[in-house]
Amino acid sequence: MLLCAVAVQVVAAEDDVLAPPHALYPAPKFTLRWINPGETGGLAADGSYDNNQGQLGVLNAAGAVTATGHPFFAPLGTNGRACVSCHQPQDAMSLSLDSIRRQWQVTQGQDPIFAAVDGANCPHLPQQDPASHSLLLDRGLFRVFLPWPPRDAAGKAIEPEFGIEVVRDPTGCNLHAQYGLHSAQPMVSVYRRPRPAANLKYPTHQNFGVSSFIGKNGLPTARDPQTGKPTSMNLMADARPPSLRAQAADAAATHLQRIAPLSKAQLDAIVAFEGQVYVAQQIDRHAGSLIEANGPTAFGPRALLKGEAGVLGNNTSRWVFPMEGKWTTLPRGASAAQDARNAGRESIARGHDVFMFRTFWIRDSMHLNSVGLGNPTKRTCATCHGMHMTGMDTANGWMDIGSTNLPWAREAPLNPWTTQKPELPLFKLTCRNDIAPHPFLGRVIYTQDPGRALISGRCNDIGTIVMQQLRGLSARAPYFSNGSAHSLRDVVDFYDRRYNIGYSEQEKQDLANFLGAL
Amino acid sequence: MSLQRSITLSLACVSGGAVAAMPDSVQRNFVACPIVRDTASVPCWLAEYEGELYFLTLQTDVSAPVNPPMLGHKVLVEGRRTDKPRICGGIVLEPVRLSVLPALDANCNQLLPAEAQYNLTFEPPRPPGPSKGRLAFNTLDVQQAEVAPQRVEKHFSIGYDFEGRVGFKHPALLQPVLDYALAIKATSINIEGHRGAALLSDGTILNESPKLAQQRAQQVAELLQGAGLIGPRYTVRWIDAAPAPNGSDDSAQRRVDITIKP
């Protein structure tokens, strides 16, 4: 299965990977275009990139971008990587598993994305062996290593509410003498997907829900060290960076292995670039153009440029994804092609309604069922994914849907008849007796990634993950922070199992089509 | 409120409590598993006590005055029985306070399907899907005070659920404290933690954990400091003794009092 998919991709994309530099990418024929660190050339103001589901639009609102010498595109560290290595325009400013596998093939594993520091399961493993990069090659995951115990903003150790044990260490990193939990500088390694470095006015807004105290639990909100203002705490899987500047500085030190801090000019250029780049799907392979003049205003990168950031969606003025009731019933009979297109559009409109209005019982999900809605609560996808235009939570969007916590997280079945092995580490976290138990999971919690709890040290945060923006999804499979859903259909199936939703086959297809059009 | 006054108060309650040991006849205080009853719109939350079914609340949203409890936990119900038409088959308690008890209890797991006879006879405050126009989280949408307030001593009181610490309701309570202290450039802040007890309808007394008064007070101080209120001098105290409960306003003891001084 896997090998077959790789082979097909390579044939389709090889000439693009080796295409001559100096051109504005993408090439007009809308094919994939990998950008190497330090390449000359640039990004068009309006870029378009084909993907399996249609085509992604990448809009540079400030105009064409010269990549030459630009700190987002330049290898500023010691390992040859640039920010663009893992935030590729063709992949909605994230990095798809397809691209990762293709780069492995094309460069024989020499692309800097495979650098030992976090592009391998652990730095000590033999780097030529693809098995040492299995989490990146199978699930698109980079190693994120965080200090244990956690530190507060001033660098002081936080006394965690739980103890942590390594139950399973398939990568060898969490128990390693140099990199592990019991090393001289104790670290916890978790494995996560890159997030889209685009549409960033949404995850960093200063609008609704941002206040001095975290709306979910009343604790103090992290503040931007530059402005001193409370932040929306919506960046990365665990909201650890208080701002894009802090994020970029940290990314340079970790991902790029840069020794000296980035200069102010470099940080300015990175943050300015990130602040003006917008991504969203703009053509759907069934529904055709998503951005026609009279169509719904939810789609395409320009909609994100225009949209107001930090607004909680409702269903009168600011829908989460505004469809204006369009595409619900479209004519048939003009031509077979138009019938097919209209059927595709109707499916997207139905999928939107499933997302907004199809209720199910949301149960045992920390920071949703614990914030006054009751457990369970009869609500919809849009209850959690409520922010206008991106479907994030407006602020502090970390929740536990069971993507990394057992019993819901994807685990390899263990039995005498399979050779499947667990790929991800498993931790056992035991909450202290002098605090209240986790309301849904009790005192002992098994997890593949403690998520926000690795930053806050809080029992109730175990396995909570900040929701990603639901944009450019078709360009950046797999999904969830731990890459456990290989397709959008797989995401829908996860929810169907997790919350016992009982979607019909039609609802599942429509919902996946809708997500794919975002 | 000074330290002295609360001590006097609590002593008075202890002596009073020894005599009057039962809540009045309209009061319904009990611990039970909550029950969810689905309807054609939003679910109802109910609980049974002594063979009678009580309506606790509806699912609405975060900003609702009463929030539904949780399956998987028992709930402490402190409410007053009314003669209002039953909702979802339950006698309406109003006002009612609901505290989710921290211990997990897998026995609390009743989710009943909708039945035509239990449909709501009124429009619920918000549908199960997205709200029409009205936004949830309104309480968090904090307005900054525009005119500089007078620099006077001001008291605030922060309430808690039974056994509760700071949670999702508290940003709306803590924000005005923070805003006022910053606005008047407070020089000192006194924080006094309390814990309470609840007198149930059957005469049982439930006490909050012994250290809770201290933990509440210290946590409020940490939160205000963490939110940037580091100018004033903090005096943090707590009263460990829980006043004897009377079964009618026991929730008033579960609080932290804050005094901001210019």
Side-chain angles (χ1 to χ4, degrees):
Chain A
M1 257 301 273
L2 181 152
L3 283 180
C4 172
V6 170
V8 173
Q9 286 292 348
V10 169
V11 176
E14 196 148 43
D15 51 358
D16 303 309
V17 174
L18 305 173
H22 305 299
L24 278 186
Y25 15 85
K29 58 178 178 160
F30 299 137
T31 44
L32 296 177
R33 183 66 174 84
W34 177 266
I35 301 177
N36 285 309
E39 254 187 64
T40 50
L43 294 186
D46 267 302
S48 324
Y49 302 84
D50 282 356
N51 53 50
N52 293 337
Q53 193 68 24
Q55 187 185 86
L56 177 84
V58 178
L59 170 68
N60 285 294
V65 177
T66 308
T68 317
H70 191 297
F72 192 89
F73 298 84
L76 298 176
T78 55
N79 60 16
R81 284 175 177 170
C83 305
V84 77
S85 298
C86 303
H87 299 283
Q88 294 274 335
Q90 64 173 11
D91 296 346
M93 299 304 286
S94 170
L95 191 57
S96 72
L97 184 55
D98 281 351
S99 296
I100 293 166
R101 290 176 176 171
R102 197 163 49 244
Q103 283 310 103
W104 180 271
Q105 292 281 331
V106 170
T107 70
Q108 323 265 298
Q110 297 305 302
D111 191 291
I113 60 171
F114 301 105
V117 59
D118 59 3
N121 296 352
C122 198
H124 71 282
L125 298 168
Q127 297 297 309
Q128 311 74 353
D129 186 353
S132 304
H133 306 271
S134 63
L135 285 175
L136 190 47
L137 289 168
D138 291 349
R139 292 176 72 154
L141 302 178
F142 288 95
R143 186 172 73 99
V144 173
F145 42 101
L146 298 164
W148 187 256
R151 308 272 152 76
D152 65 14
K156 214 178 100 209
I158 292 174
E159 195 194 345
E161 292 181 345
F162 54 85
I164 182 166
E165 293 164 67
V166 180
V167 173
R168 185 175 77 205
D169 190 26
T171 66
C173 228
N174 279 296
L175 293 176
H176 191 269
Q178 186 183 345
Y179 305 107
L181 187 57
H182 308 298
S183 64
Q185 286 186 319
M187 289 279 172
V188 175
S189 288
V190 289
Y191 298 83
R192 295 180 180 163
R193 296 275 302 130
R195 296 184 165 228
N199 310 333
L200 286 173
K201 75 174 181 189
Y202 294 94
T204 59
H205 74 87
Q206 276 290 314
N207 207 346
F208 187 72
V210 180
S211 78
S212 301
F213 301 97
I214 296 171
K216 306 264 162 53
N217 59 17
L219 302 180
T221 300
R223 282 166 188 266
D224 182 333
Q226 274 215 312
T227 64
K229 285 192 183 155
T231 65
S232 59
M233 300 187 77
N234 256 338
L235 289 173
M236 322 289 265
D238 49 20
R240 65 189 184 280
S243 67
L244 288 176
R245 288 184 92 80
Q247 192 283 332
D250 183 65
T254 54
H255 298 310
L256 273 47
Q257 293 180 287
R258 184 182 162 89
I259 315 293
L262 292 176
S263 70
K264 180 175 177 302
Q266 286 168 323
L267 284 170
D268 288 346
I270 290 174
V271 173
F273 168 71
E274 288 176 333
Q276 60 80 57
V277 60
Y278 293 90
V279 303
Q281 194 77 348
Q282 61 187 20
I283 296 179
D284 181 84
R285 76 189 151 124
H286 300 300
S289 172
L290 297 165
I291 50 173
E292 275 173 11
N294 297 321
T297 58
F299 302 119
R302 225 160 263 284
L304 283 140
L305 167 66
K306 281 197 217 135
E308 194 182 339
V311 177
L312 185 64
N314 58 28
N315 68 359
T316 45
S317 52
R318 302 262 204 9
W319 291 74
V320 179
F321 297 110
M323 299 280 294
E324 293 90 20
K326 289 176 181 158
W327 290 3
T328 49
T329 15
L330 295 170
R332 293 290 192 286
S335 70
Q338 209 191 70
D339 284 0
R341 191 200 67 185
N342 285 356
R345 290 183 174 178
E346 285 175 0
S347 172
I348 290 172
R350 284 193 305 270
H352 165 268
D353 289 356
V354 172
F355 187 86
M356 291 297 282
F357 299 116
R358 167 65 155 92
T359 57
F360 52 91
W361 294 101
I362 304 173
R363 187 161 180 169
D364 295 348
S365 285
M366 191 66 211
H367 298 321
L368 190 281
N369 295 108
S370 57
V371 298
L373 303 176
N375 182 42
T377 186
K378 190 171 92 171
R379 289 287 200 106
T380 72
C381 301
T383 295
C384 296
H385 296 286
M387 178 158 53
H388 180 54
M389 296 315 276
T390 61
M392 307 179 73
D393 197 354
T394 49
N396 16 87
W398 55 91
M399 292 185 193
D400 165 25
I401 55 169
S403 49
T404 96
N405 279 348
L406 271 49
W408 299 105
R410 167 165 292 188
E411 286 273 293
L414 299 180
N415 61 53
W417 304 280
T418 179
T419 52
Q420 259 195 72
K421 290 216 173 65
E423 294 179 291
L424 287 173
L426 190 68
F427 305 95
K428 177 183 177 186
L429 277 56
T430 307
C431 301
R432 283 185 346 226
N433 279 325
D434 61 335
I435 55 150
H438 185 292
F440 311 120
L441 299 169
R443 280 195 199 285
V444 178
I445 301 169
Y446 289 86
T447 188
Q448 299 171 350
D449 181 347
R452 175 71 189 160
L454 285 179
I455 306 304
S456 69
R458 301 269 164 179
C459 176
N460 281 352
D461 284 337
I462 294 174
T464 60
I465 303 286
V466 174
M467 45 188 100
Q468 306 82 349
Q469 33 173 320
L470 304 186
R471 285 291 179 173
L473 288 159
S474 290
R476 56 182 183 84
Y479 308 103
F480 293 137
S481 183
N482 63 5
S484 55
H486 56 74
S487 63
L488 290 172
R489 175 54 187 254
D490 207 16
V491 168
V492 172
D493 286 338
F494 169 82
Y495 282 108
D496 195 52
R497 280 195 306 277
R498 168 65 181 87
Y499 296 117
N500 197 16
I501 300 179
Y503 281 137
S504 69
E505 179 56 30
Q506 182 76 62
E507 285 176 315
K508 288 184 183 179
Q509 283 178 20
D510 292 341
L511 186 51
N513 286 343
F514 169 66
L515 293 171
L518 294 172
Chain B
M1 185 179 288
S2 76
L3 183 64
Q4 260 181 345
R5 201 163 118 216
S6 11
I7 290 171
T8 334
L9 251 181
S10 57
L11 287 178
C13 291
V14 171
S15 48
V19 196
M22 299 299 274
D24 71 53
S25 64
V26 191
Q27 189 74 30
R28 287 291 176 280
N29 299 343
F30 58 94
V31 171
C33 281
I35 300 167
V36 187
R37 163 73 73 185
D38 196 10
T39 76
S41 60
V42 292
C44 288
W45 286 81
L46 307 157
E48 254 177 41
Y49 178 63
E50 292 191 331
E52 190 54 84
L53 190 65
Y54 292 92
F55 167 80
L56 307 179
T57 190
L58 286 174
Q59 170 186 307
T60 54
D61 63 36
V62 179
S63 56
V66 180
N67 299 102
M70 293 179 181
L71 293 189
H73 292 259
K74 287 207 172 77
V75 59
L76 166 65
V77 178
E78 299 167 286
R80 294 187 76 74
R81 191 195 155 110
T82 67
D83 295 331
K84 294 189 171 177
R86 287 181 179 243
I87 303 178
C88 289
I91 295 173
V92 176
L93 294 176
E94 213 180 79
V96 65
R97 291 195 61 111
L98 305 174
S99 300
V100 174
L101 298 187
L104 278 69
D105 190 337
N107 294 321
C108 300
N109 195 23
Q110 248 196 88
L111 202 168
L112 304 171
E115 283 183 42
Q117 57 168 325
Y118 296 133
N119 269 342
L120 302 181
T121 53
F122 53 90
E123 175 87 4
R126 75 163 276 169
S131 63
K132 282 208 177 83
R134 189 171 76 85
L135 295 178
F137 292 97
N138 268 343
T139 51
L140 297 187
D141 211 2
V142 180
Q143 309 283 314
Q144 298 289 334
E146 271 158 37
V147 280
Q150 269 198 319
R151 297 190 76 228
V152 294
E153 182 172 311
K154 206 164 166 179
H155 305 286
F156 297 85
S157 195
I158 310 278
Y160 293 83
D161 287 345
F162 189 86
E163 282 290 347
R165 295 185 213 187
V166 162
F168 73 93
K169 286 249 179 206
H170 290 94
L173 301 171
L174 290 168
Q175 189 73 44
V177 180
L178 179 68
D179 289 345
Y180 186 71
L182 290 173
I184 68 158
K185 299 195 173 62
T187 60
S188 91
I189 167 163
N190 289 352
I191 298 177
E192 188 179 277
H194 301 260
R195 70 178 179 115
L199 175 61
L200 304 188
S201 294
D202 67 2
T204 314
I205 292 180
L206 291 186
N207 282 298
E208 289 193 300
S209 307
K211 286 207 164 155
L212 204 54
Q214 173 180 358
Q215 288 164 344
R216 282 177 177 156
Q218 286 173 336
Q219 189 181 29
V220 165
E222 278 166 26
L223 299 187
L224 291 173
Q225 284 163 348
L229 188 61
I230 42 178
R233 189 171 48 83
Y234 280 72
T235 310
V236 181
R237 335 171 194 211
W238 50 89
I239 296 179
D240 274 331
N246 59 19
S248 61
D249 61 352
D250 295 340
S251 63
Q253 302 303 328
R254 311 193 288 255
R255 67 177 198 280
V256 166
D257 295 324
I258 303 172
T259 306
I260 307 278
K261 293 184 185 161

